[in-house]
Amino acid sequence: MEVILGLFQEAKCGYVIILMAVYWCSEVIPLAITALIPVLLLPMFGILESKKVCMQYLKDTNMLFVGGLMIAVAVEHWNLHKRIALRVLLIVGVKPALLMLGFMGVTAFLSMWISNTATTAMMIPIVQAVMEQLNSTEQNLGHTEQLEGQVNPGIELEEKNAMDLSSVHVIGNGHVPGSPKVLDNSAQKKRICKGMSLCVCYAASIGGTATLTGTGPNLVLKGQMNSLFPENGDVINFASWFMFAFPNMILMLTLAWLWLQFSFLGFNFRETWGCGTQRSTKDRAAYNVIKEEHRKLGPISWAEFNVLILFILLVVLWFTRDPGFIPGWAMLLFNSPQEEYVTDATVAVFVAFLLFIIPATKPKFCMNDVNEEGKPEPFLPVPLLTWQVVHRQMPWSIVLLLGGGFALAKGSDVSGFSRWLGDQMMPLHSIPPWAIAMVLSLMIAAFTECASNVATATLFLPVLASLSQSIRLNPLYVMIPCTLSTSFAFMLPVATPPNAIVFSYGHLRVSDMVKTGIMMNVIGVLCSALAINTWGQSLFLLDTFPTWANATTGK
């Protein structure tokens, strides 16, 4: 009877998972509302008590997400991200290949700290302004050359004048249709616009993988590790993830840049790099556009400076809390390696707390303001961040989405569904681990094209953990590359918000994104496989089956 009841519990938990998977993929109701299904069904099915389910919705990982996003909101609110972007673009130059590299580098860096959507929404108008200036300058130059040709007619012009003009249709720029030069220039401009647009959305997705707070699936991984393997010793923290994912991001970004350059710019070094040539009129015009946008920002303000200092403080505290190769300040402060009193969430909330205290303007130490009655009033400074701004810009739905994933993982563990699923995958034991990781990464990269990356990570990571335990493979060996693969949504406009934003500008067709995105998916999976089998192997000790994974087996 107990065996039948146990199987019945596993079946009920499987039903909840399938139901949530269908709702998340079809989006018949909002993703955040689907994430609340465990609160309703897990207690009703007798799988987990309501109070234990609800505790999963505001765990340490959720607070890390909230604290990190508050700092990101402050960066966006005071336009610090735009100042950084424009300054870097002024440094890299405006030759097509270097301009693309500059756009990708800036977008990836900003996406490490603020949302991919906000980064893309900020960068795309800059890209469009630069490209419009390049095109308008080229048209003006072409018109000038035409006027010069009319003043000093040559053989080519005489031949055109000798034609029967009644059969010639004149278009806006004054050239005859069918001129190879005009068609080539037009096609080239379109290709450059497509390449510059795609580089932004791709760089936003790639950049988010480099930090723990850069994108939702990374936080899902950390939360699932803490939930499924509570004795893991904080193996995934900000510092360890950055040391693994940042080199992978650089490699991916470089290969993506080369691929986009090959697809849309070509490898003509004289034209794309400007080797051995002086800066042209078009280049100067594009440079002036970026310079003018930077000038409009004015000098750095008191608020921007303070947000920058707090941002640097946040990163330094994250890196030095538990760097791994030396004792971090958290261990030295509390002198207790057994108990982890301070986590990355503590640091994020501390810095976010300071944003609501530090004033946005220089403090005044005199009462210069007077009210209507002529009486002096004290200076009441406005903080760097207010709750109204946070409430308006914070994506609260992601907090529920993360919590729903943690509740689902807890229910799978308690009901025994995870163990049952792992047992069904025992035949995979004969397959090499690298092949398992590659196949699963490709499958998830395809699946995330049609579903939210956070929802994809939430559904698959508990299953991958059970699979790893059943074949006695370090869970991180499969979970890390598959987590990265959830961010490889490069093929469809609906796959991720950055793709949709870029597609909305009208330069791209779906076929353009699909043809380019297929290769981007392959690049992403191959880079992840290389990373996990080289420096990831030694960083996370992936060649051994850890005791923290073995301790949870059979519970």
Side-chain angles (χ1 to χ4, degrees):
M1 182 65 183
E2 291 181 359
V3 174
I4 296 175
L5 185 61
L7 292 174
F8 190 50
Q9 291 289 88
E10 295 162 4
K12 288 189 289 187
C13 184
Y15 168 76
V16 175
I17 293 174
I18 293 172
L19 180 67
M20 293 180 69
V22 171
Y23 279 12
W24 267 333
C25 294
S26 60
E27 296 190 41
V28 290
I29 59 177
L31 298 180
I33 303 303
T34 301
L36 294 175
I37 287 179
V39 179
L40 175 66
L41 294 186
L42 292 185
M44 287 185 62
F45 286 168
I47 297 173
L48 196 62
E49 298 94 327
S50 178
K51 59 182 178 181
K52 292 183 179 179
V53 176
C54 294
M55 287 174 63
Q56 308 301 315
Y57 283 80
L58 207 58
K59 300 179 71 172
D60 178 80
T61 307
N62 299 78
M63 295 308 299
L64 172 61
F65 175 77
V66 171
L69 273 186
M70 283 185 180
I71 288 93
V73 167
V75 170
E76 293 178 46
H77 181 65
W78 293 106
N79 256 349
L80 180 60
H81 60 321
K82 188 172 184 179
R83 183 180 297 277
I84 294 171
L86 294 173
R87 172 59 65 182
V88 173
L89 290 175
L90 287 173
I91 293 173
V92 299
V94 291
K95 292 295 180 183
L98 292 177
L99 190 61
M100 178 181 282
L101 180 63
F103 282 137
M104 294 183 74
V106 169
T107 304
F109 173 76
L110 294 175
S111 188
M112 291 165 57
W113 314 104
I114 64 179
S115 76
N116 304 348
T117 305
T119 303
T120 306
M122 188 271 295
M123 288 298 298
I124 275 294
I126 299 175
V127 173
Q128 297 301 317
V130 171
M131 296 310 300
E132 287 174 7
Q133 187 63 37
L134 284 173
N135 294 336
S136 63
T137 303
E138 185 172 346
Q139 290 175 2
N140 292 335
L141 287 174
H143 184 63
T144 303
E145 291 172 358
Q146 181 193 5
L147 293 177
E148 290 175 353
Q150 291 174 354
V151 175
N152 300 301
I155 297 175
E156 181 181 356
L157 185 59
E158 289 178 0
E159 290 177 354
K160 287 183 179 179
N161 288 338
M163 294 170 60
D164 182 9
L165 295 181
S166 62
S167 63
V168 177
H169 174 64
V170 180
I171 56 177
N173 59 4
H175 290 284
V176 179
S179 170
K181 183 177 179 180
V182 177
L183 286 177
D184 288 344
N185 286 343
S186 177
Q188 183 183 20
K189 285 188 290 186
K190 287 181 179 179
R191 290 178 66 83
I192 292 176
C193 282
K194 290 178 180 181
M196 293 296 181
S197 300
L198 282 174
C199 81
V200 171
C201 62
Y202 288 169
S205 296
I206 295 170
T209 63
T211 60
L212 198 58
T213 56
T215 188
N218 301 351
L219 290 169
V220 173
L221 172 65
K222 177 176 174 55
Q224 298 285 19
M225 284 293 296
N226 293 340
S227 177
L228 299 172
F229 309 109
E231 304 298 328
N232 71 82
D234 198 32
V235 64
I236 297 292
N237 57 42
F238 189 91
S240 65
W241 180 264
F242 185 86
M243 286 188 286
F244 168 78
F246 182 75
N248 182 69
M249 183 206 77
I250 296 296
L251 179 61
M252 271 197 69
L253 207 64
T254 303
L255 294 177
W257 172 61
L258 292 174
W259 168 240
L260 289 173
Q261 187 179 338
F262 171 77
S263 301
F264 297 101
L265 302 182
F267 278 108
N268 188 323
F269 286 94
R270 186 174 182 84
E271 290 183 5
T272 59
W273 287 81
C275 298
T277 63
Q278 294 181 348
R279 182 181 290 179
S280 66
T281 305
K282 292 191 300 180
D283 296 337
R284 287 195 295 269
Y287 182 84
N288 289 335
V289 169
I290 300 174
K291 189 174 182 180
E292 177 62 20
E293 289 293 319
H294 187 267
R295 186 195 62 80
K296 289 178 183 178
L297 294 176
I300 188 168
S301 65
W302 171 270
E304 285 180 273
F305 178 77
N306 280 288
V307 170
L308 179 61
I309 294 299
L310 290 178
F311 174 74
I312 294 173
L313 174 65
L314 173 72
V315 175
V316 170
L317 290 177
W318 266 341
F319 272 112
T320 57
R321 182 188 68 84
D322 184 18
F325 54 92
I326 58 172
W329 58 263
M331 185 178 293
L332 296 175
L333 185 64
F334 294 99
N335 195 25
S336 177
Q338 290 80 19
E339 297 292 338
E340 191 179 20
Y341 289 101
V342 177
T343 65
D344 289 333
T346 314
V347 175
V349 172
F350 167 68
V351 176
F353 189 78
L354 295 179
L355 291 169
F356 292 86
I357 298 176
I358 298 175
T361 55
K362 286 186 178 181
K364 298 179 182 178
F365 299 100
C366 58
M367 294 186 293
N368 295 329
D369 298 332
V370 295
N371 56 22
E372 296 178 356
E373 300 176 357
K375 295 181 180 180
E377 289 187 345
F379 172 71
L380 298 176
V382 177
L384 292 170
L385 202 58
T386 62
W387 182 251
Q388 289 77 12
V389 174
V390 173
H391 181 69
R392 185 172 61 250
Q393 298 188 25
M394 178 75 75
W396 296 108
S397 60
I398 304 297
V399 178
L400 291 178
L401 198 56
L402 290 173
F406 302 152
L408 202 58
K410 186 70 174 178
S412 299
D413 185 46
V414 171
S415 66
F417 179 78
S418 295
R419 291 192 300 275
W420 174 84
L421 199 60
D423 293 339
Q424 310 310 307
M425 299 179 181
M426 282 298 293
L428 293 175
H429 186 75
S430 58
I431 302 175
W434 63 267
I436 296 175
M438 285 280 289
V439 171
L440 291 174
S441 296
L442 286 170
M443 180 185 69
I444 290 176
F447 188 87
T448 196
E449 299 286 350
C450 307
S452 159
N453 58 356
V454 177
T456 302
T458 301
L459 288 171
F460 280 98
L461 289 184
V463 177
L464 299 177
S466 300
L467 163 65
S468 303
Q469 285 180 290
S470 66
I471 61 176
R472 297 191 65 79
L473 177 68
N474 191 315
L476 292 175
Y477 186 83
V478 176
M479 294 174 75
I480 288 178
C482 289
T483 299
L484 292 175
S485 295
T486 61
S487 296
F488 300 160
F490 300 125
M491 290 174 54
L492 297 175
V494 297
T496 184
N499 292 7
I501 292 172
V502 168
F503 189 79
S504 67
Y505 276 78
H507 297 299
L508 296 164
R509 295 176 299 177
V510 175
S511 59
D512 296 323
M513 194 167 281
V514 171
K515 287 187 292 186
T516 313
I518 289 175
M519 188 61 187
M520 287 296 303
N521 279 348
V522 173
I523 289 172
V525 171
L526 290 178
C527 288
S528 301
L530 175 65
I532 203 68
N533 287 290
T534 51
W535 63 88
Q537 195 87 17
S538 57
L539 184 63
F540 297 113
L541 303 177
L542 298 178
D543 54 346
T544 60
F545 186 68
T547 55
W548 48 260
N550 190 46
T552 56
T553 304
K555 279 189 176 183

